[in-house]
Amino acid sequence: MAAVRRRITKAERERIQKVLDRLDEHYTTEYKCYLNHENAWQLLVATMLSAQCTDARVNIVTKDLFQKYTSVEAFANADLKELEKDIHSTGFYHNKAKNIISCMKDLLYKYNGEVPNDIDALTALAGVGRKTANVIRGNIFHEPSIVVDTHVKRISNKLGFTKEDDPEKIEYDLMQVIPKEHWILYNIQIIEHGRGICTARSPQCESCFLKDLCKDNLAKEKKKMKAAMKKGE
C-alpha cells in the first residue's frame, strides 16, 4: 500500500511534538515489551496469541507453554488438538494453533529456525500481519516501527494524528507525523495511556494531561460551550 503524503502545518507539527514531550514526561522513555519472552520466536508466538486477548492472559498461558514447547522445532511438530487445548483461554484457539504450527514450520525449514527481520519475510509467515511483524522488528531487532493495536488506533484518532480506520493506513499516517526515533516509544506510551487514562469504556478526559492538545476532547469542549451558550439565551 502506497502512503499518501500529508501536508502538515507548522502549528500541527508543534502540537504533535508537545504531545510526544508530555508522553515522555508522564511515561517511560525506556523500551519495554508487555509480552514475556526470552527470544524472538517466543515473542512471535506470544504476539500471535495476543490477537483479541490481553497481554496479561497471554503471559499466564506462555509461562507453561514455553516450558512445554522449548524450541521452534517443538512447536512445528506439535499436535494440533493438544496445542489448541494449551492455548484455549486466549480465544480463537483453532486458528491460532494452526497458524503457530505453520509459522514455526516455515521458520524451521526456510530460515533454519531463526526469525527474519525483514517486514516482507515476516508478513509472509502464517498468521503474521504487519502488527505482529512490527512488534518483532521493534522489540527484537530495534528497527523503528509503528504497532497499531487497539489503543494506538483509538487514541491516535482522538489526538487527530489520523482519521483512518484501517490499521495499515493508520500506520502510514503515524509514520508521517511522528519522528522516526519516537515510533517504538509511542507504541509503548500509548498502550499505557490507553490502559490507565484514556480507556475505551470510560476515558478520564478531565484529568488527562493531554486534554488541551487532544482534538477529540477540544471538540467535545466546544460542543459543550455552544450548548451552554444556547441554553443561556
Side-chain angles (χ1 to χ4, degrees):
M1 182 183 295
V4 178
R5 291 298 303 173
R6 294 175 57 186
R7 294 187 64 182
I8 304 166
T9 64
K10 182 181 178 183
E12 182 65 1
R13 286 279 183 201
E14 290 174 351
R15 183 183 74 88
I16 292 168
Q17 190 57 54
K18 285 180 182 177
V19 170
L20 299 179
D21 289 344
R22 289 191 195 177
L23 288 171
D24 284 350
E25 290 171 14
H26 199 84
Y27 299 117
T28 183
T29 55
E30 294 180 7
Y31 291 175
K32 66 177 179 179
C33 182
Y34 296 104
L35 292 169
N36 296 338
H37 64 282
E38 294 180 356
N39 51 53
W41 66 261
Q42 284 188 353
L43 181 58
L44 184 55
V45 171
T47 308
M48 293 171 76
L49 291 175
S50 72
Q52 303 298 312
C53 183
T54 66
D55 291 350
R57 166 55 56 186
V58 172
N59 288 336
I60 291 171
V61 170
T62 56
K63 183 178 180 182
D64 294 329
L65 193 70
F66 292 154
Q67 289 184 357
K68 181 175 182 178
Y69 303 94
T70 58
S71 66
V72 169
E73 187 174 9
F75 270 110
N77 295 323
D79 177 78
L80 178 61
K81 293 298 181 184
E82 188 173 349
L83 183 57
E84 286 178 351
K85 290 179 182 178
D86 294 332
I87 65 171
H88 185 275
S89 64
T90 67
F92 301 96
Y93 56 92
H94 292 302
N95 279 338
K96 288 180 180 180
K98 181 180 70 175
N99 284 335
I100 287 171
I101 291 172
S102 295
C103 180
M104 294 297 115
K105 282 181 177 178
D106 278 347
L107 290 186
L108 189 62
Y109 300 120
K110 294 180 182 179
Y111 300 101
N112 296 317
E114 299 296 323
V115 177
N117 67 351
D118 178 72
I119 186 75
D120 292 328
L122 282 165
T123 53
L125 298 170
V128 178
R130 290 189 68 88
K131 174 191 167 185
T132 298
N134 282 327
V135 169
I136 298 300
R137 293 177 76 242
N139 288 281
I140 299 298
F141 301 108
H142 307 296
E143 294 279 351
S145 52
I146 296 283
V147 177
V148 182
D149 75 340
T150 181
H151 299 295
V152 170
K153 177 180 178 179
R154 177 172 51 82
I155 296 174
S156 295
N157 268 280
K158 282 178 173 288
L159 289 170
F161 287 4
T162 182
K163 294 180 181 178
E164 300 291 347
D165 187 61
D166 178 75
E168 190 169 344
K169 290 180 179 178
I170 293 171
E171 180 188 340
Y172 285 124
D173 274 354
L174 296 179
M175 287 167 70
Q176 291 185 58
V177 301
I178 297 173
K180 196 171 185 177
E181 64 272 14
H182 214 290
W183 288 357
I184 298 175
L185 275 180
Y186 182 77
N187 300 329
I188 296 167
Q189 293 164 344
I190 292 298
I191 289 171
E192 197 159 344
H193 194 60
R195 289 174 175 172
I197 296 177
C198 192
T199 60
R201 291 186 179 181
S202 55
Q204 300 167 36
C205 299
E206 287 301 315
S207 59
C208 180
F209 59 90
L210 295 174
K211 64 181 180 180
D212 60 317
L213 297 171
C214 175
K215 286 194 173 182
D216 184 65
N217 183 63
L218 291 172
K220 287 178 183 176
E221 291 296 320
K222 190 175 181 180
K223 191 174 181 181
K224 284 181 186 177
M225 192 177 295
K226 281 185 177 180
M229 289 174 68
K230 191 173 182 179
K231 190 176 181 180
E233 289 177 352

